[in-house]
Amino acid sequence: MHSLWFRLLTAFLLVVLVTVGTIYFFVSRSTGIYITEHEKIMEQFQVDRMRERLFTHYYSLEHQEGETEQQGGQPVYQKWKNVQPEIERMASLYGAHVILTDASGIVVGDSKQKLLEQPYDLDLPREIELSRWGGTAVGTLYLGPELTAQAYPASPQRLAESIHSILILGGLLAIVIALLLTFFLSRRISAPIHTLAAAAGRFGRGDLSQRVQFRAKGEVQELTEAFNTMAGDIEHAEQLRRNLVADVAHELRTPLSNIRGYLEAIRDEMIKPDVATIASVEEEAALLSRLIDELQELSLAEAGDLKLVYQAENIARLIKQTAAHWQPRVTAKEISLSLDQPNKLPPVNIDWQRISQVLHNLLENAVAHTGKGGTIAVIAAQQGDWVEVSVSDTGEGIPAKDLPNVFERFYRVDRSRARATGGCGLGLTIAKRLVEAHGGKIEARSKPGKGSRFSFTVPIAQSHSR
């Protein structure tokens, strides 16, 4: 009972019933009003016709006899002589009981021939006085309740009955058509839904390559596109997860293998556990510890559980301190590091430690990819309610096809995963998450052979924002 076909059927039937019922109500009401008015007009027309025919009969007799109302000695009802056939024709024509009395109340015509030449003593609903010019009464016409438009084959009453019958038959036909339309339309509408359901079932069982190719319009097409987009995103996320597992295994394997190699060599007395050997083992352990710390930090940042302490800070001082930390390594590599920032930048609402970490990661990336004699520039400037900080270098640059992926975990332009540049491939990813946690954005621009520029924004403290 919860199938799409049943719900469509119910909806169609309700629409048909409501529509037909509404039409039937208004048509019946309008028809009833029309019939009432029409019957009044028809009845008055019939009465006028009767009065005309009776006066014609009356005056024809008067002229034939050459008498007037002032002539005495002759009963008045004789003026209505031979009116009985006319009364009967009227009754037959209009389907009513017709009685005519003269001026004294004696019945001179009765369509049922029961009260002829007798005083009128019935109670027929219609009483019409027949008067000559000048107001002199010459008789009274009584009509029975049967005087309606029903006497005519094409009467309004019969027309109303026909309309009611047509509406009922039309409603039944509409219900049959609704059933047929429901059958065909439900198949057409439910087909893509069934296809989507089947694809979702296979997708849920692990076949992430499932896509729905169904040409439709409207909401069904939107649903199909949404499913395909969702499937693509999930497949991409699953691929990233697999890559993450592979990358983590690779990054962990290298220092662990080195540590194990050193320990085995010491055990086999191939090398001595001197200061240099211990320093090498310690370096590999530090690399392993750093990788674990960065993975944990990235996990917290992506889950939104990273604890940040926001307060108004001097961004210029933060940049100077971070740059001073890298000055010895820059000098050793014979790289020029310059700072370009206004004399007075507004305080920014940041977590000092986390933004320092962002700038540290960007400088580490710049130093690693800038060769001897190159330059690195750190620039800060106010942009509306934000302060933008950029780190530019004159290194080898990033190919256009790799640029959109530089913020992904463990992504390296160097596919050989060489450790000559250092790092674990998580620095830019962590920087992106930390900047986004501050409500800012980070982006990268690069031209192969001409260097790269990484920039990020942080919000100005509320008390100093415009």
Side-chain angles (χ1 to χ4, degrees), residues 161-289:
E161 293 175 355
S162 300
I163 292 175
H164 293 168
S165 300
I166 291 172
L167 287 175
I168 293 174
L169 291 175
L172 295 175
L173 180 61
I175 292 174
V176 173
I177 294 174
L179 291 173
L180 295 176
L181 285 175
T182 301
F183 177 75
F184 290 107
L185 291 178
S186 63
R187 288 174 63 90
R188 183 177 181 84
I189 294 173
S190 62
I193 297 177
H194 289 315
T195 303
L196 282 169
R202 292 190 292 271
F203 191 88
R205 290 190 291 271
D207 185 2
L208 302 185
S209 64
Q210 285 295 313
R211 301 292 185 276
V212 178
Q213 302 298 331
F214 198 93
R215 304 181 68 178
K217 295 180 180 179
E219 291 80 0
V220 175
Q221 179 65 24
E222 293 178 4
L223 180 61
T224 301
E225 293 175 355
F227 174 83
N228 290 337
T229 302
M230 177 199 69
D233 292 342
I234 293 177
E235 186 177 23
H236 179 66
E238 177 63 16
Q239 185 61 45
L240 291 178
R241 186 190 66 81
R242 293 174 181 174
N243 292 343
L244 174 63
V245 173
D247 290 335
V248 169
H250 175 86
E251 298 295 339
L252 290 175
R253 184 182 298 112
T254 301
L256 284 174
S257 297
N258 291 338
I259 292 173
R260 182 178 179 182
Y262 279 117
L263 293 177
E264 289 179 351
I266 293 173
R267 183 193 61 189
D268 296 337
E269 297 182 354
M270 297 178 61
I271 59 175
K272 294 181 179 180
D274 54 15
V275 175
T277 303
I278 293 175
S280 297
V281 173
E282 185 179 9
E283 182 180 354
E284 296 296 336
L287 181 62
L288 186 61
S289 177

Side-chain angles (χ1 to χ4, degrees), residues 285-298:
L287 181 62
L288 186 61
S289 177
R290 178 184 174 186
L291 174 60
I292 294 173
D293 290 342
E294 287 185 348
L295 284 172
Q296 183 180 17
E297 191 170 35
L298 179 60

